[in-house]
Amino acid sequence: MSWLNAAALAALAAGHAELMVALINRLHALPLSHGLLRRSRQLHELVILAFPLVLVWFVGLTGPRLLTGGRWSDLPAPWAGYLGLCALGAVGLVVSAVAQARQRPPAAQVSNHSHTIDIDKRLGYRPIGAGRHRLMIGMPGNEAFRVEVSDKTYRLPKLPAAWDGLSIVHLTDLHYTGRPDRRFFEEVCELSAELAPDMFVFTGDLLDSQELMDWFPSTLGRLNAPLGCHFVLGNHDWYLDADAIRRGLIDLGWHDVAGRWLSIEHRGHPLVITGTEQPWMGRHPDLAGAPAEAFRLLLSHTADNLPWARGQSIDLMLSGHNHGGQVMLPLVGAVYSPSVHGCRYASGAFWQPPTLLYVSRGLSGRLPFRFRCPPELTRLVLRP
């Protein structure tokens, strides 16, 4: 048994997994149908699980027999070519893990105060709900009910001095599936109301089941703020009847800013609030007529619209979609992040002048499982 070759094959199998994950992350950044994405995930999982077995049999035990003293020079050309790609994937995995471990808040962040609230303890029961994935909630290490409530303060160059302390509660990725049940989200919205911000924003993925629109009045419908409640929708809303979801929120007093902008006068200065649901719905807004001196806030479901935001001199961009990876592995960090950038913008704050991007981990997901990546409810406090 050649243990050195065994270790090399294990590293190559990990590199193969990294390549497949990179591919699936970028597929999920595209406006593809839910059915096609579901089938691609199934194939992706099969290929990741099967490849180590194929590698051991055709390379380790037969063919060049690398596990029993064979030589790498005896690899057939197709295997040599693909394993070369796997080696690059293994290097990429290490680079990605190091980059995530070294990620730090930008200099614009001046404070971060967080505490965790166990919603099940607050309710006095586990709001598991019904459905085929409900057993996931009881899995060891699942943090689906442990909401991290944060106050994060940022200094931004264009913020008027008169707005010192302007606060925004950012909600995203509620994913009403029935798991957790309605009481979980009612409690989350109660926590949101207790934060008493100047403004509420929601950045998409509200529904995974159209019939749960009747949850709207007792959840997001309970929120109001001096500068209003503003929203865009996400890809999971696009899979359903997005027009009905949009009308439901508007009827509750929320302002739809997708593909448009509105200007609010606040303490003598204009605030432009705009939104985009690209690449799934509509168009980017035309900001040609917006006040040039205004502070600009962009709501975008995906962080992939950051280059466009920078080109439009957006001051603050709020996004979700990536769920922080939803599972954070020790050493490796986030693995799955449906973005053209992979896990680079899985969650957190990023300063890309002139734009501060904040990506929330969101509050739920299609699958009710979180590991080392709790749901997030954040109030952003802005200072000049």
Side-chain angles (χ1 to χ4, degrees):
M1 179 72 172
S2 172
W3 293 106
L4 183 60
N5 282 349
L9 292 181
L12 292 171
H16 164 80
E18 171 70 6
L19 294 176
M20 294 301 102
V21 167
L23 175 62
I24 205 71
N25 281 341
R26 285 151 181 83
L27 275 178
H28 279 70
L30 303 176
L32 303 176
S33 72
H34 186 253
L36 178 59
L37 291 176
R38 184 179 65 251
R39 289 190 291 273
S40 71
R41 285 194 302 269
Q42 293 168 345
L43 178 61
H44 155 81
E45 291 162 2
L46 176 63
V47 169
I48 283 183
L49 292 173
F51 182 77
L53 301 177
V54 172
L55 184 64
V56 166
W57 179 254
F58 287 101
V59 175
L61 299 177
T62 63
R65 300 178 182 271
L66 294 180
L67 291 177
T68 56
R71 297 178 303 175
W72 288 90
S73 59
D74 292 335
L75 275 173
W79 271 111
Y82 187 69
L83 292 183
L85 291 177
C86 291
L88 293 177
V91 172
L93 177 62
V94 173
V95 170
S96 176
V98 170
Q100 290 191 61
R102 295 183 62 187
Q103 182 178 317
R104 296 292 183 270
Q109 181 171 304
V110 295
S111 70
N112 174 22
H113 303 287
S114 302
H115 63 283
T116 300
I117 294 180
D118 291 303
I119 299 294
D120 51 350
K121 292 180 181 177
R122 184 163 159 135
L123 291 174
Y125 79 102
R126 305 200 78 200
I128 292 175
R132 61 193 180 99
H133 294 124
R134 65 190 302 272
L135 294 179
M136 278 190 177
I137 293 183
M139 293 177 65
N142 192 355
E143 299 178 298
F145 295 146
R146 303 189 72 238
V147 176
E148 183 178 89
V149 181
S150 299
D151 259 318
K152 298 178 185 287
T153 301
Y154 297 94
R155 293 194 184 275
L156 296 177
K158 278 183 59 180
L159 194 83
W163 293 4
D164 190 13
L166 179 75
S167 59
I168 303 170
V169 165
H170 179 201
L171 302 109
T172 191
D173 295 272
L174 295 178
H175 288 278
Y176 293 171
T177 64
R179 313 165 302 276
D181 69 17
R182 186 200 303 238
R183 288 291 292 121
F184 172 84
F185 296 103
E186 290 174 344
E187 202 65 23
V188 165
C189 288
E190 179 63 29
L191 286 171
S192 302
E194 292 172 5
L195 295 174
D198 295 304
M199 180 193 308
F200 285 104
V201 300
F202 175 72
T203 54
D205 277 4
L206 180 50
L207 287 182
D208 279 271
S209 182
Q210 195 79 37
E211 59 267 24
L212 298 183
M213 280 185 62
D214 63 1
W215 290 15
F216 287 8
S218 64
T219 55
L220 294 182
R222 298 166 58 185
L223 302 179
N224 59 79
L227 297 182
C229 303
H230 310 274
F231 78 93
V232 294
L233 299 180
N235 58 305
H236 282 246
D237 306 306
W238 175 61
Y239 299 150
L240 304 175
D241 186 346
D243 290 338
I245 297 170
R246 198 180 307 278
R247 288 193 302 270
L249 285 177
I250 292 172
D251 289 346
L252 291 170
W254 283 72
H255 302 285
D256 177 17
V257 295
R260 57 190 290 266
W261 60 269
L262 56 89
S263 181
I264 299 174
E265 191 77 12
H266 179 54
R267 296 180 184 173
H269 300 273
L271 166 63
V272 167
I273 307 170
T274 187
T276 179
E277 295 169 348
Q278 279 285 297
W280 301 281
M281 293 178 281
R283 301 177 179 177
H284 290 314
D286 181 0
L287 296 175
E293 75 281 9
F295 184 90
R296 296 185 174 191
L297 169 64
L298 172 68
L299 310 184
S300 170
H301 183 57
T302 174
D304 289 350
N305 290 317
L306 177 59
W308 179 86
R310 297 179 67 196
Q312 299 297 312
S313 299
I314 296 297
D315 297 290
L316 176 61
M317 174 178 173
L318 301 178
S319 298
H321 187 50
N322 296 335
H323 297 200
Q326 206 159 316
V327 170
M328 292 279 286
L329 298 178
L331 301 180
V332 175
V335 175
Y336 290 103
S337 180
S339 167
V340 296
H341 302 286
C343 295
R344 181 180 179 184
Y345 300 118
S347 65
F350 307 87
W351 175 242
Q352 297 284 332
T355 304
L356 177 70
L357 165 66
Y358 189 82
V359 184
S360 170
R361 297 190 302 270
L363 285 153
S364 190
R366 184 180 61 85
L367 297 178
F369 184 78
R370 286 178 176 264
F371 179 71
R372 301 180 71 238
C373 185
E376 174 182 352
L377 174 62
T378 297
R379 178 171 63 178
L380 295 97
V381 180
L382 308 183
R383 308 204 67 179

